[in-house]
Structure formats: C-alpha cells, structure tokens
Amino acid sequence: MSEPDLATVAMAAFDQVVAATPGFRARDGQREMAQRIADSLHDVSLGDQTDPQSAVTVIQAGTGVGKSAAYLSTTVAMALARNTRVVVSTATVALQEQLMTKDLPALAAVLETPFVYALAKGRGRYVCKLKLERLVGHVGEDATELFEGDDEGNTAQDPSAFQPNRGAAWQDPMERRMALYETLATALAARKWDGDRDSLAEQPEARDWSTVAAERHTCTARHCPRFSSCSYYQARMQLAQAQVIVANHDLVLASLGMKALPDLDNCLVVFDEGHHLPAVALDQFSSAMDLTGLRWLDKLPKILIEVADKTGFVLVQDVATLAQQLKTALLEAGRLAMELVRGVSTGYDTVYRFKDGIVPEAMLEPFKLIHGHAAALSDALEALGTELKARAKEDPALAANCALHYARLGQLAPKLNSVVTTSAQWLCTTEPPLAKWLKSDTSSGLVSISVHACPIVPGDLLRRHLWQQVRGAVVTSASLTTCGSFDFFLGESGLADLPQVNTLAVESPFDYRTQGQLIVSDTAADPKQVDLYTTQMVAALVDDLRQVPHGALVLFTSRVQMQAAVSALDANLLDIVLVQGQMARSRLLGIHQARVEAGRASVIFGLQSFGEGLDLPGLLCETVFIAKLPFSPPSDPVEEARAEWLKRAGRDPFSELVVPATGIKLLQWTGRAIRSETDQARVICYDKRLLSMGYGRRMLQGLPPYAVSRRVHGTLSAL
C-alpha cells in the first residue's frame, strides 16, 4: 500500500467507528482531530532509517470531543496497515480501564482486521513465584532472614506492631505476613490467582507485597527455574502478541531502552492525559537516599560474602571494609545534615534546600567518599550477579540455586543504587543546576534524614530521552493550552521549536455560554491574607451550600482549608457533605450517586486529585465551588530551585511558570462542571483575583467561554 493511502485508511476506520456508535452525534471537532492525526502520521518512518521522518501532533481536545475514539481508530488502522503496533500511554488508572473495557473492545468489534490489545504493567505488580515459594517453604532458613530486603527489617516500625489495646484479635506481624503468603501461594498453585496484584480481591499492604513482588534486581529472567510459569513473563508474552498496548507514562519513561515495551522508533505512540508528562519526567529522573536507616549496610557484605563463598566466586573488592567505610561516610553526612536542618528549624519535620544547588564543601567531602565506596560495592554486586546468571545459563541444574542467591543480592540492590545515583547527582554541577535538598521527618516515630536531588527543567529530559526516540506520536489532553496558548506545554514537554511538531486546539461541542455560568464571588479579604480570607470564603461557601438541590463538588487548595470548611458546617450540612479521605474514593462516589439518584442533596469536598478525571455528569454535579485559585504550594523544592534559576537569568518565574501552570489546573477544575451536551452547571470561584488581577484575566482567557458574572455582597452583575 502506498503511503498516501494510509491517511485514507485511517479516516475510513474513523468513519466505521462513528457509524457503529449507538446514538452518535456528529462532532466536527472529533473529525478534525482524526484528520489531523491521519495527515500527520501516515508517512512517518519506522525502524532503521538513514534519514527518518518524524511527526508529533499535539492536540487539545475539549471535554466531549470523544478524543479516544478519534486517536484509537486512526492510529490502530495505520498500524495494522503497516504491520506495526500502537502504544497508548495514560496518566490514570481510570482512563486505562476505560480504554481496556470500553473503547478498545468497541473498536475491535468494528474494524475488519482483527487485533489483540493488552495492558502493560510494571514488573512490581506481579508476584515472584520463587520468592513466594522461598517464603512459604522457608528452604531451611531462619524466618527473619526472609525479610532482609525490608526497611531495616525492624518490625517495631510496622504500624500493626503498635496496637495498645490489641485484645484477642491481635496477630503477630510475622504470623500475619506468613499467613498472607501461604494464602497467595495456595491460590497461585490452584490457579485461582494469576499472580497479578491488581486481580486480588483485597489489596495487600505495600510492605507485605514488596517482599514477594517481582523486581528487576532480583530476577534472573529466563535462567530462573520458574521462568516458564512466571506471572510477569507470561504477561510479557501476551504483550508480545498484542498490536495495541495500553501503558502509563511512568512505565513508558522507566522502560526506555529496556525492551519491556516496543521500541518507540518502530511503533506509533499516543500520550493521552499528556499534560502529566513533564511532572512524570521529573519524578523519573529524581533520586533520594536515606542517611539514617543504615542497617541494610551491615547485611550487604555478609550476603555478598556468603553468596560468593557458596558459589566459589572470588570477590575482588574487600566488601566488608567498603561497607564499613560507606557507613561511616553516610553517618558523617547525616550528622552534618542534622546540623543544617536544626539550624533553620526548631522542629524535626522540615526541608532544607541548597541555594542554586550549591552544596557547601564540608558537606560535599563525605559525598565524594560515599560515591566512591558505593560505586565499588555496586561493582562487586554486579560482578557476582553476572557470574550467577552465567552459571545458571551454563548448567540448568544450578539454576534454582543461582536464582535464589541472585534474589538475595537483588533485595539490597535498590538501596545501593539509590546511594550511587543520589551521591552522583549531589556532586553534579551542571547548568541549569539540579535542585538539592535535605528532608527530615518523624512520621515513623524516629527522626529520619534523607537526601534528594532532581533536575529542574522537564523539557530538557523529555527532549533528550523521549522525543529523540519517537517517530510518530499523538499527545492529547483536554488541558494542553493555558492562558490561550500551547507555548507553556510545548516548553515544559520539550517539544518547543522541534520541526516535527504541529498543534491543534479542538473546541468542545458543548455550548458553554448557554449551558454554564462562571461566577466570581468577591471577598473583602485578599487571598494572601490566608486566615481572614479562609474565614470569609468559608462563610460564603456555607451560605451557598444551603442552596444546593442535587450534586455539587467543592475543590480546596489545602487540607487545612478543607478542614476549616468542615468545621464550619452545621448538622444539616454535615449530613450531606462527603469529605475526601473519609473513605475509599469509589465508595464515596457511590454514596454520592445514590443520594442524588434518591432525590437528596450531596456535596463532595475534595483536593487536587478530585479536580481532574472525576466524571460527574448531569445532576451529580450542578455546581463546582473553587475555594481559591489552585497555585502550587510555594514550598516545593524543585519549583523553588527553578524559580531561583530563572530569576538569576533575569526572567520572571511567576509569569513564566506559576501563572500558566495554575491556568492548566484551573481549566481542569472548571472542567468538572459540564460533562455532556445536556448538562447545566455553574462554577463559583471565591478568588476575586480571577477578575481583578492581570494574571487572573490571563487564566480566564484559557477557560471555556462561560457566561461570566461577578457577585458582590450577594448581587450578581454580568460581565
């Protein structure tokens, strides 16, 4: 098939989907989106090419456009015609579930060419059979040794160990965990469980699961005696058969160069909820290490020496001395860190950030030692691991033993790797500088000090690590523009000024002027007068809540602010309000829906995570109340470091970063109001800066075209 025909194939598939959709309403924006994808990606070069042609189409599709149908029909049809694959990456589990249970089955029922689709998950979502068998069988080891990869192996820090009024129902933490592992092993052996954590009826605690989770550092892959029945690799085999793979942004970025997903230069890629990419990139390339919990360092040389002795491998390094030297350097770094933290705070829960990423020389000295000793230990661990894999490959009879030894090494590898990576980043003096900070907290009951480092420009990371590999991609979301422009997102995502990038903003089919209303309610206090503003805002909110007939959503910028509102509710309002965190999200939403369907009023109080991805159509959400413009907390060390760097360069971080980032959040928050062509809803914002300040009016430009009114002393006036 000639390349120009691929665009025709893509649009024909789109038309098939449209024709097969029950009760479909023609949406010009959806067709425009599909056409742009077809035109942009039909002639990209895939695979090994001397001068490859790339294309990245960035599409903002307003609520109600039906973007998943537009991008799935076109990209899947082109991929099938080219005998390649599509990777669809999302930011939320909810969208993954929608794609897997609704959108992809609908597409498969329509397209003439059959295709297989599968969900990709990280290795840690699957159980390691060998670890589980080792735990349940004990294989001649003391039970306490089975948890040597735990956080310091200290059961006193396990919350379940602190139960003052335990009574007869109390169970020893070790017994409870062993009972869990017995249950999992039995279900796995009886084939009543497939080894996927997400398919368990009741989710185990994170710490319990981590002990038996599959992970790269403890896995000998095809050399493991359980490889043929491994839950993770069976899932990988299903992925290998799939033409469409649904993943998430974290997995895509973490898997670059690791072959867990198709090579991004040899497939088509869709990043839905693409506005999350910059934040995910920063998270992926950040690092942290603990300066106080160091018992693992006492175990590391012991395990290395035991495994080497049992396999007859000669360790070149003196690992016992190296581990002691590393521990000494870490303790010295911890002492200096504690002095710095105590010098700026009277409490133990605080963050100390280094200005311009410059660490004092006295603090750097132990980090030079830390990096050298940790790197040497890492080399020893890697050499021993390589030897174990080689022996398992050469002699299958040794595979089980080698896999168990490899797993023992791997349990401590992540801690050692974090020390190597974090110390390297602390010694790094690049421009722009990395954000570097210390954090102390007492959440475990003890004072802990940790070291953190993170790049501050996500666009640089994505351009270097992601976009250089991608040949054909769609990046889409309902919130890619802010203040009426793509510029902020393109810069943050590393796509600015790349020749292969094109953009398109597709308007929502909703008539916001007639379906919705945006009311800015003035308070006498300025929002910067935090306590006074909160008091006045809460008073106005409480009055408004008394008028709610059906469903409503209140979005707060902080937990303290939300609690102030809860405290101001009388008994009648307390009876209709559901507060995020009081119960599981799914249960809260179920109760809300049941109340509204029964003709009762119901109001949800939520924070940032409820401002995005929450779908409450019709009567479930007739009003969205916004307590304050959703500026990020000013204490985030990465944002502080970036603002500092921009100021040093003579730039304005508030205008360049803070305003557009807040504009995107505000677009998401207001997007909870109108979810269908028949919805009628209001947005009430209590922050007068949306109209009174220039930056507020910039944000307003990026919102849907609501009918806007101002409310002063209860009187509405249209603008």
Side-chain angles (χ1 to χ4, degrees):
M1 179 178 294
S2 62
E3 287 187 344
D5 288 334
L6 287 174
T8 304
V9 167
M11 290 309 296
F14 171 74
D15 288 335
Q16 281 181 284
V17 170
V18 167
T21 303
F24 178 80
R25 298 182 185 182
R27 301 168 185 171
D28 293 341
Q30 188 183 43
R31 171 165 285 278
E32 188 181 2
M33 179 179 180
Q35 190 69 61
R36 173 60 64 91
I37 295 169
D39 292 342
S40 297
L41 303 189
H42 77 279
D43 59 354
V44 296
S45 310
L46 299 178
D48 292 333
Q49 303 280 343
T50 53
D51 188 19
Q53 182 165 334
S54 302
V56 179
T57 183
V58 179
I59 303 174
Q60 174 168 290
T63 307
V65 165
K67 64 182 185 297
S68 57
Y71 67 65
L72 284 177
S73 58
T74 49
T75 58
V76 172
M78 283 190 283
L80 293 176
R82 296 188 66 165
N83 196 28
T84 188
R85 301 200 276 175
V86 178
V87 173
V88 182
S89 180
T90 79
T92 63
V93 173
L95 181 54
Q96 286 189 338
E97 290 176 349
Q98 176 191 314
L99 291 168
M100 291 296 295
T101 62
K102 178 184 173 186
D103 298 334
L104 284 167
L107 181 63
V110 170
L111 290 189
E112 294 177 4
T113 306
F115 67 91
V116 176
Y117 52 90
L119 178 63
K121 300 181 184 182
R123 193 189 301 251
R125 304 306 295 179
Y126 299 92
V127 76
C128 171
K129 280 191 170 184
L130 201 65
K131 285 184 186 177
L132 189 60
E133 289 175 7
R134 176 182 173 223
L135 281 162
V136 173
H138 287 223
V139 294
E141 297 178 64
D142 178 49
T144 57
E145 284 294 302
L146 302 178
F147 303 108
E148 59 198 9
D150 282 356
D151 291 341
E152 303 315 304
N154 185 357
T155 56
Q157 294 183 32
D158 187 334
S160 62
F162 293 100
Q163 300 183 28
N165 301 311
R166 298 183 295 198
W170 182 81
Q171 186 179 18
D172 177 78
M174 185 74 78
E175 290 180 6
R176 175 185 58 75
R177 298 178 82 182
M178 292 309 299
L180 168 67
Y181 301 139
E182 291 278 2
T183 301
L184 295 181
T186 301
L188 198 61
R191 301 193 176 184
K192 293 181 179 178
W193 177 48
D194 60 0
D196 181 345
R197 174 178 176 165
D198 298 320
S199 64
L200 289 170
E202 186 175 335
Q203 290 294 293
E205 292 181 18
R207 184 175 177 181
D208 294 345
W209 176 258
S210 66
T211 304
V212 293
E215 55 181 336
R216 181 168 58 88
H217 297 291
T218 60
C219 179
T220 55
R222 62 184 67 256
H223 307 310
C224 174
R226 301 294 177 269
F227 176 74
S228 61
S229 60
C230 173
S231 301
Y232 170 67
Y233 279 102
Q234 285 180 339
R236 282 278 300 270
M237 287 175 63
Q238 291 178 348
L239 283 186
Q241 308 302 317
Q243 286 84 27
V244 181
I245 296 172
V246 177
N248 62 50
H249 302 338
D250 284 292
L251 183 59
V252 170
L253 294 183
S255 300
L256 292 173
M258 289 193 177
K259 304 295 182 185
L261 295 171
D263 293 334
L264 299 186
D265 62 355
N266 201 27
C267 67
L268 301 180
V269 191
V270 178
F271 293 101
D272 200 345
E273 301 175 317
H275 59 280
H276 285 282
L277 275 173
V280 174
L282 288 180
D283 187 58
Q284 281 292 328
F285 291 94
S286 65
S287 66
M289 70 180 187
D290 190 0
L291 292 179
T292 44
L294 303 180
R295 284 180 56 192
W296 66 274
L297 258 177
D298 299 326
K299 298 174 183 177
L300 181 60
K302 174 174 172 281
I303 292 170
L304 281 168
I305 291 167
E306 283 181 4
V307 171
D309 286 347
K310 288 178 181 177
T311 56
F313 181 78
V314 178
L315 289 167
V316 176
Q317 297 92 335
D318 180 355
V319 293
T321 300
L322 280 172
Q324 187 55 52
Q325 290 172 330
L326 175 56
K327 187 174 183 179
T328 300
L330 285 167
L331 289 170
E332 173 63 9
R335 184 187 66 79
L336 293 170
M338 187 66 77
E339 286 181 2
L340 287 170
V341 167
R342 297 295 292 142
V344 297
S345 174
T346 55
Y348 284 105
D349 295 282
T350 190
V351 169
Y352 181 98
R353 185 181 63 81
F354 294 90
K355 183 176 170 57
D356 296 320
I358 299 172
V359 179
E361 190 61 35
M363 190 77 184
L364 277 182
E365 282 306 311
F367 274 86
K368 293 173 184 175
L369 296 173
I370 287 168
H371 185 69
H373 300 326
L377 281 168
S378 182
D379 288 343
L381 189 147
E382 187 175 340
L384 185 50
T386 301
E387 176 68 14
L388 288 169
K389 279 188 173 182
R391 293 191 182 191
K393 182 179 180 181
E394 291 166 7
D395 187 352
L398 299 175
N401 238 359
C402 289
L404 286 172
H405 291 320
Y406 192 87
R408 290 192 73 198
L409 297 179
Q411 283 182 315
L412 296 173
K415 285 185 179 290
L416 184 58
N417 289 347
S418 75
V419 174
V420 173
T421 304
T422 309
S423 58
Q425 287 195 317
W426 263 51
L427 298 171
C428 180
T429 56
T430 56
E431 187 66 22
L434 275 69
K436 300 171 187 175
W437 69 97
L438 302 168
K439 181 179 180 182
S440 68
D441 73 70
T442 57
S443 58
S444 68
L446 303 170
V447 179
S448 67
I449 294 276
S450 53
V451 175
H452 302 257
C454 182
I456 62 174
V457 183
D460 291 349
L461 298 170
L462 288 166
R463 186 178 290 221
R464 187 162 66 249
H465 296 283
L466 179 65
W467 302 124
Q468 285 189 358
Q469 296 189 35
V470 170
R471 295 283 176 77
V474 179
V475 182
T476 187
S477 169
S479 50
L480 295 180
T481 65
T482 180
C483 308
S485 169
F486 278 103
D487 291 349
F488 177 70
F489 174 73
L490 293 177
E492 290 293 280
S493 60
L495 292 170
D497 303 321
L498 292 182
Q500 69 267 37
V501 176
N502 64 80
T503 61
L504 173 68
V506 176
E507 297 300 322
S508 168
F510 305 155
D511 185 349
Y512 285 94
R513 290 194 182 279
T514 59
Q515 289 183 247
Q517 185 180 20
L518 172 60
I519 298 170
V520 180
S521 181
D522 276 17
T523 56
D526 187 281
K528 292 181 180 178
Q529 300 170 282
V530 178
D531 293 339
L532 184 57
Y533 172 79
T534 297
T535 299
Q536 294 180 3
M537 177 275 294
V538 166
L541 171 64
V542 168
D543 285 343
D544 287 333
L545 291 180
R546 298 188 202 283
Q547 313 305 317
V548 170
H550 303 107
L553 172 67
V554 187
L555 294 169
F556 297 93
T557 56
S558 73
R559 198 170 295 279
V560 171
Q561 190 186 61
M562 183 167 72
Q563 189 53 52
V566 172
S567 299
L569 300 177
D570 58 30
N572 289 333
L573 287 177
L574 276 172
D575 194 45
I576 69 168
V577 169
L578 296 161
V579 182
Q580 180 181 356
Q582 284 183 341
M583 62 190 77
R585 175 175 169 140
S586 58
R587 182 163 174 254
L588 183 147
L589 295 177
I591 293 173
H592 176 74
Q593 183 171 345
R595 286 178 177 177
V596 174
E597 289 177 350
R600 298 170 56 198
S602 183
V603 179
I604 296 173
F605 278 14
L607 299 168
Q608 169 64 34
S609 61
F610 273 37
E612 179 182 359
L614 203 61
D615 191 22
L616 298 169
L619 298 181
L620 294 179
C621 186
E622 292 181 310
T623 308
V624 173
F625 300 98
I626 295 176
K628 197 174 184 180
L629 291 177
F631 290 105
S632 292
S635 58
D636 180 87
V638 178
E639 293 187 13
E640 279 185 343
R642 192 170 180 192
E644 184 177 77
W645 172 64
L646 288 172
K647 284 180 183 175
R648 192 154 43 88
R651 293 155 68 179
D652 179 4
F654 183 76
S655 178
E656 192 172 325
L657 294 180
V658 177
V659 171
T662 306
I664 284 181
K665 284 185 188 175
L666 189 62
L667 177 58
Q668 293 163 358
W669 284 25
T670 59
R672 300 312 99 211
I674 296 176
R675 308 299 298 171
S676 75
E677 286 94 338
T678 58
D679 281 1
Q680 294 286 328
R682 299 180 305 166
V683 176
I684 299 179
C685 176
Y686 297 98
D687 195 330
K688 61 186 177 184
R689 294 175 296 181
L690 189 58
L691 292 178
S692 65
M693 302 299 291
Y695 60 78
R697 293 191 294 274
R698 275 180 63 195
M699 295 180 202
L700 193 60
Q701 288 178 354
L703 299 183
Y706 294 101
V708 181
S709 301
R710 173 178 244 143
R711 186 175 70 183
V712 182
H713 304 306
T715 303
L716 276 180
S717 56
L719 298 180

